[in-house]
Amino acid sequence: MQQLTAAQRRMSAQSPTPGRMGEIHLNKKMHNNATMNARRVKVFRLLLSVGLLITFLMSITLLAWHGHIIDDVPNQHPFFLHPHTTIASGDPSQLNGISKKPPDDWPPVLSAYMEPSSSTAIWYDDPSSEKPNPKAPLPMRHIRAQNLTRLMFPRISYTSFDTTSTICNNIPSLLPIDDFGSTIRDPYLPWIHDMFISHDGNDVNIVAQNRRRCHKGKFHNQDLKHWEGQVALFQPVAIKRVNAANNTNSNYNRDESVQYRLSTHKDADSDGIETRFLCRFKSLDYTQQTMTYQGETLSTYPFNYEFVNWRKQKYTMVEDGKEQTFFWLSPLMINCPIPTHLQSATNSNLLLDIIPIRTPTRRNDRDGFFFHKGHGGPMSFDAAKMWGENHTLPKAEDSGRWENLPVCGLKKMSAVVPKSIETDRETAGKEFNTMPTKKPHRLVACTWTSALHQRRGNERRITDGKARLREWIAFNLQVGFDHVYVFDNTGANATIFRLKNEVDPDAGDATSNGDQHRIHDDLSSVTDLFPPSQVTRIDWPATICNNNRPAHNDPGERSSQYAAEAACRTRYGPYTDWMASMDPDEYFVPMGNYTSWKEILDKVDKEEGRKVLKFRSTRARPLLSTLVPTYDEGAEECTHEMAKEHNQCLVKSEEKTYLETYNCEYIKSPKPERFARAMTDLATEKQHTKGNFVKVATTNQKMERFVDELEEGVLIHAKTTVPAETFSREKMCKLNAPSHCLVGIPCPDDLPFSDALHTKNVFHNEKGEFCNCWTNRKVEKYWLPKLNDELRQIASGS
């Protein structure tokens, strides 16, 4: 048989034979039918998908329309029941503890409602200019709730009475302080650090900070411009109710629909002459899961910041550039009057909304001053011209605001000063209206400190916070202080170390138990060594917004510390006659024949009536005889390698107290007048809580004086000298050295001090040997033995 080629076989297979013709036609017909059926299925599936998509889109549209209708229903409580704002854009998941998901009706959550910058841009002819001029009369902000951005902070959620009590006991550690400036960008919202009921039960006291002071200098002009609204919060406005028919004989608005307009002092309501915030109170019912409007009041200031600025001969409140010296414009204190029917209420489940009244910041040198004629001084701001006579403020629900801030306790002092914060047995549980004429304390101290911290500029870490605090508390209790309030900032520094992936040396490895977010260490191990009637610790984890040195292009702003001092003054000042705010490296030492500060204060109260005692401050030197060699591989001056050829660095001996180590004053007492600029003070309660501490020097010089450093008392500033600063002692600690010797070599007591010569390293003893500081003999012979005895008792637990 003839063999076929491969090509012939393929052609033969493809060529139909007569017997297969009918089979081929039948297969073609079946194939055509199958193709048509497949097409029908595809068309059906396509139509089904389109129908489902249309149904989904219609559902979304109906839901949005339904929400819009609900939003526009009159006489509802939109800020109680329904979210009115657009949700913040971006990742809807958690960001720095902030939930950006739409809230349910319950539970209420602390929220910040931010206005867009466009809402205030209409005020100016050219908003982009460096110092834009406001239009006159001021245009009204046409803003609605849907234009706001809402940020929620679930760590302050009110789910039950127990959770609210926990919130009230930890307000300073729960407020979103460190989110301000990054996530929270509205310049007219106050940067709140603490809030509590006033000592008389009439107000909610709020302590805030000026965020604009955080970054300064030529590289931060945009920051200074953006945050200028923070300065406006220090400037009072005058307002009048425009529809307040049902608000007679009351300190609050009974009707939540009341609106306001900007006005002159003459036309303003009696409670609206000097104000800046609307304070809206609401009550919670956990059983029914509802909130009820309880009234709206107008904020007050403890003093008029604008008037203070004028009295200090400062002609604007808006500081530009690097040098910003108006420290009294750093902490902002606000009072929200509590509606009268709530002041004696037994149910204290209250929340507070803070709505700032927004106006352009007054640059006083351009716009004039606006304080009531009762203060005296010029009143050069023309409110009628600049604001107009019909400038109505937006409704509360249409305004940027803080919503659902906690109001903790109304009647008992133990509620005003939460149990975990104020455990003083003498005061806890007493009612406001039965507060004794004699205050619980004669003298108290406030301090802001940490178990470890970084110096200005962040170039040195100091880890001796616990040992310092233990000694400092013991000393203060010995010299006449009744109570010490410790604002514990350890949490902020633990945060810094976590961000650097470092380990807190006192806490151990944070990842060892899988709990990376809890603060593992604080100062409670120190404060618990003392009775609660003498020492109170407040958890205060707010970070300082700028730790740069003063000479930096962007000088530092220790916002957390300033807020803590203001909170201590306002929260605890009413319970004491005298108060001091100082650091744990500052020792107020009674001198002369005095062994207690109470003896000195009794004399001042009886014979002088002064309200402020001031101390000149200079940095003491650590006595060379109290230091021991050390290595520090983190500092190039103190490494093992460096010690092979140079002096080994020195550190304080663990066997010595800080007071003994630094008992060598570089500037001999009495200190020259020029050191008055570096000072701290003791002040009476009124000087602190009424705000006079910022203006006493310009109002009545008879109210204050410096202490007699030889016969009354002296301040020893025992600031840490780190080991690296001792490295150069071989070159600097000798006669005629070119720079300062930073360790202490004591001079004879009778060697005269010359301010003109002390920087030239010419002091010497009778043998001609170099010396540079003077020992305080009362500290050496009287106070150190007492302090050492007390510390031994504390160590033994007796």
Side-chain angles (χ1 to χ4, degrees):
M1 182 179 293
Q2 186 179 0
Q3 299 294 321
L4 299 176
T5 66
Q8 291 173 329
R9 285 196 298 271
R10 288 196 298 270
M11 292 180 64
S12 176
Q14 294 173 1
S15 302
T17 63
R20 296 179 58 194
M21 291 297 293
E23 180 180 351
I24 291 173
H25 287 297
L26 178 62
N27 288 340
K28 285 185 176 180
K29 183 176 182 180
M30 292 177 62
H31 175 73
N32 292 337
N33 290 339
T35 301
M36 292 180 64
N37 289 336
R39 289 175 179 172
R40 290 191 188 101
V41 170
K42 289 182 178 179
V43 171
F44 176 79
R45 288 176 177 174
L46 178 62
L47 292 174
L48 180 61
S49 299
V50 171
L52 291 173
L53 178 62
I54 292 173
T55 303
F56 175 77
L57 293 175
M58 289 180 65
S59 300
I60 294 298
T61 303
L62 287 172
L63 286 172
W65 175 81
H66 179 65
H68 174 72
I69 294 299
I70 290 177
D71 284 353
D72 289 341
V73 172
N75 300 321
Q76 292 287 335
H77 300 280
F79 56 99
F80 299 164
L81 302 178
H82 305 290
H84 268 243
T85 67
T86 57
I87 304 304
S89 60
D91 186 353
S93 62
Q94 300 288 328
L95 174 62
N96 295 329
I98 303 171
S99 174
K100 295 187 177 182
K101 298 179 181 179
D104 296 326
D105 291 345
W106 189 268
V109 178
L110 175 66
S111 300
Y113 287 80
M114 300 185 295
E115 291 192 15
S117 58
S118 58
S119 70
T120 55
I122 62 170
W123 288 341
Y124 307 102
D125 293 319
D126 182 8
S128 63
S129 66
E130 184 178 349
K131 298 178 182 178
N133 288 309
K135 298 176 183 178
L138 188 68
M140 289 189 293
R141 295 174 5 257
H142 298 292
I143 188 168
R144 295 296 304 273
Q146 55 264 31
N147 304 129
L148 307 177
T149 298
R150 182 183 187 182
L151 297 178
M152 293 178 289
F153 302 91
R155 57 182 174 267
I156 300 187
S157 300
Y158 308 92
T159 57
S160 66
F161 179 81
D162 290 339
T163 58
T164 301
S165 298
T166 301
I167 291 170
C168 286
N169 289 339
N170 298 279
I171 289 176
S173 62
L174 294 176
L175 289 171
I177 299 168
D178 291 343
D179 296 298
F180 209 95
S182 55
T183 308
I184 305 171
R185 294 284 296 171
D186 189 329
Y188 281 87
L189 291 181
W191 187 16
I192 300 175
H193 281 61
D194 198 6
M195 56 187 300
F196 41 87
I197 302 295
S198 62
H199 71 284
D200 57 9
N202 294 334
D203 301 288
V204 177
N205 295 148
I206 298 170
V207 177
Q209 279 294 122
N210 183 352
R211 182 60 178 73
R212 187 178 187 266
R213 292 177 58 87
C214 285
H215 293 288
K216 304 172 282 290
K218 62 183 179 180
F219 299 112
H220 294 279
N221 288 332
Q222 288 302 313
D223 283 329
L224 291 172
K225 181 178 179 180
H226 174 81
W227 291 106
E228 192 166 311
Q230 291 279 288
V231 181
L233 303 183
F234 290 80
Q235 300 173 331
V237 295
I239 63 174
K240 182 176 179 61
R241 295 170 178 86
V242 295
N243 55 342
N246 299 319
N247 281 277
T248 58
N249 300 319
S250 174
N251 79 327
Y252 66 97
N253 295 338
R254 301 165 188 249
D255 182 356
E256 62 177 306
S257 66
V258 170
Q259 283 190 267
Y260 308 85
R261 69 172 177 87
L262 298 173
S263 76
T264 63
H265 288 136
K266 180 180 179 181
D267 292 339
D269 291 329
S270 59
D271 58 345
I273 295 175
E274 290 185 347
T275 189
R276 178 52 79 169
F277 301 90
L278 310 181
C279 306
R280 181 167 283 202
F281 291 84
K282 306 169 292 188
S283 62
L284 286 172
D285 186 325
Y286 293 109
T287 302
Q288 300 296 322
Q289 295 189 355
T290 59
M291 274 194 289
T292 306
Y293 173 83
Q294 291 291 346
E296 185 176 81
T297 62
L298 303 182
S299 70
T300 64
Y301 292 102
F303 57 93
N304 190 305
Y305 288 93
E306 196 169 11
F307 177 71
V308 168
N309 220 60
W310 175 79
R311 285 302 301 263
K312 290 181 174 291
Q313 299 181 3
K314 308 298 182 183
Y315 298 108
T316 182
M317 299 178 74
V318 185
E319 293 185 277
D320 294 313
K322 172 184 173 181
E323 300 300 332
Q324 299 201 16
T325 59
F326 301 175
F327 64 87
W328 53 90
L329 298 181
S330 182
L332 170 64
M333 289 172 284
I334 313 160
N335 303 324
C336 277
I338 299 172
T340 50
H341 71 288
L342 296 177
Q343 291 179 8
S344 59
T346 56
N347 187 341
S348 60
N349 300 326
L350 291 181
L351 301 183
L352 174 65
D353 299 342
I354 301 291
I355 304 104
I357 300 169
R358 298 173 187 241
T359 61
T361 305
R362 288 191 292 276
R363 288 182 172 264
N364 304 117
D365 51 350
R366 180 192 66 192
D367 305 323
F369 291 90
F370 186 64
F371 37 78
H372 190 262
K373 63 182 180 181
H375 294 289
M379 217 296 290
S380 49
F381 178 80
D382 190 338
K385 174 184 175 182
M386 297 302 296
W387 294 338
E389 298 181 357
N390 297 292
H391 186 109
T392 303
L393 302 175
K395 295 179 180 179
E397 57 266 30
D398 293 329
S399 303
R401 63 194 182 274
W402 280 110
E403 188 170 275
N404 298 331
L405 290 160
V407 178
C408 299
L410 289 172
K411 190 175 182 181
K412 300 291 186 181
M413 189 179 297
S414 58
V416 174
V417 186
K419 185 176 180 180
S420 68
I421 292 180
E422 170 59 279
T423 53
D424 189 335
R425 297 167 186 151
E426 294 181 78
T427 60
K430 295 183 179 179
E431 296 185 5
F432 294 114
N433 55 10
T434 60
M435 186 172 178
T437 303
K438 184 177 180 181
K439 295 179 180 179
H441 300 309
R442 181 72 171 130
L443 173 63
V444 303
C446 305
T447 191
W448 172 88
T449 188
S450 175
L452 64 169
H453 68 275
Q454 292 182 310
R455 275 192 180 175
R456 290 184 183 271
N458 299 323
E459 85 286 6
R460 304 289 186 192
R461 183 185 306 170
I462 309 299
T463 60
D464 59 0
K466 289 185 176 181
R468 275 193 175 275
L469 183 64
R470 179 171 57 249
E471 177 183 320
W472 182 81
I473 292 175
F475 178 81
N476 282 327
L477 295 177
Q478 284 189 325
V479 299
F481 284 85
D482 297 314
H483 202 93
V484 176
Y485 298 99
V486 178
F487 285 71
D488 186 353
N489 195 232
T490 304
N493 291 291
T495 299
I496 292 172
F497 298 142
R498 276 204 303 272
L499 292 175
K500 290 185 174 182
N501 297 316
E502 296 178 358
V503 175
D504 181 336
D506 291 320
D509 188 350
T511 63
S512 60
N513 60 2
D515 184 3
Q516 293 89 359
H517 300 289
R518 183 173 64 87
I519 301 303
H520 289 260
D521 199 25
D522 55 38
L523 293 171
S524 59
S525 60
V526 176
T527 56
D528 289 349
L529 296 172
F530 302 89
S533 59
Q534 293 181 320
V535 178
T536 298
R537 188 188 74 88
I538 302 95
D539 189 19
W540 194 268
T543 58
I544 57 179
C545 65
N546 185 341
N547 198 37
N548 291 335
R549 290 180 174 275
H552 193 276
N553 288 329
D554 177 19
E557 174 77 0
R558 302 179 74 81
S559 53
S560 177
Q561 181 176 9
Y562 304 152
E565 292 173 352
C568 196
R569 286 193 300 265
T570 311
R571 188 186 277 267
Y572 301 116
Y575 308 109
T576 185
D577 292 326
W578 287 78
M579 172 180 277
S581 292
M582 48 182 170
D583 297 331
D585 60 4
E586 295 177 323
Y587 293 79
F588 286 7
V589 181
M591 295 291 290
N593 295 323
Y594 293 108
T595 58
S596 170
W597 279 106
K598 291 179 181 177
E599 300 169 351
I600 302 170
L601 299 180
D602 288 344
K603 177 180 76 74
V604 170
D605 286 344
K606 182 179 179 180
E607 300 177 6
E608 303 178 36
R610 296 183 190 270
K611 305 301 181 184
V612 180
L613 294 179
K614 301 187 294 185
F615 298 79
R616 295 181 177 90
S617 178
T618 57
R619 182 178 172 182
R621 296 289 191 261
L623 284 164
L624 181 61
S625 59
T626 65
L627 305 179
V628 296
T630 189
Y631 295 104
D632 181 0
E633 298 301 323
E636 61 177 336
E637 301 94 334
C638 304
T639 62
H640 284 76
E641 188 65 27
M642 185 66 72
K644 293 178 181 178
E645 299 181 6
H646 300 277
N647 280 328
Q648 190 172 347
C649 294
L650 303 176
V651 70
K652 182 189 81 69
S653 169
E654 294 183 0
E655 306 299 322
K656 305 293 183 179
T657 63
Y658 290 92
L659 184 58
E660 179 180 359
T661 300
Y662 289 90
N663 184 26
C664 207
E665 285 284 9
Y666 179 59
I667 306 298
K668 186 179 182 181
S669 292
K671 298 181 178 67
E673 184 63 27
R674 69 184 181 90
F675 291 99
R677 59 185 177 84
M679 68 171 186
T680 188
D681 60 50
L682 282 166
T684 63
E685 170 266 330
K686 286 186 177 180
Q687 299 309 110
H688 285 300
T689 60
K690 300 302 181 184
N692 294 332
F693 67 96
V694 303
K695 62 178 181 178
V696 65
T698 65
T699 56
N700 190 345
Q701 294 289 347
K702 294 181 180 179
M703 301 290 284
E704 63 178 25
R705 68 170 174 84
F706 282 95
V707 295
D708 183 328
E709 294 181 352
L710 300 180
E711 301 299 330
E712 290 181 325
V714 69
L715 167 63
I716 294 181
H717 188 185
K719 182 178 180 179
T720 297
T721 297
V722 297
E725 292 174 325
T726 69
F727 173 76
S728 61
R729 64 186 183 277
E730 186 178 62
K731 294 181 179 179
M732 301 305 173
C733 299
K734 61 183 181 180
L735 291 172
N736 303 310
S739 187
H740 299 295
C741 171
L742 296 182
V743 298
I745 302 174
C747 294
D749 293 349
D750 58 358
L751 181 67
F753 173 80
S754 169
D755 191 31
L757 297 176
H758 84 278
T759 61
K760 298 182 179 181
N761 296 316
V762 295
F763 298 128
H764 57 83
N765 59 22
E766 59 277 4
K767 298 180 180 179
E769 298 168 335
F770 171 81
C771 64
N772 66 341
C773 58
W774 284 261
T775 301
N776 185 316
R777 298 304 175 189
K778 183 160 186 179
V779 167
E780 180 184 58
K781 297 179 180 179
Y782 181 82
W783 288 115
L784 282 177
K786 289 174 64 67
L787 177 61
N788 287 326
D789 287 344
E790 179 65 20
L791 292 175
R792 279 192 290 269
Q793 292 184 32
I794 292 173
S796 66
S798 58

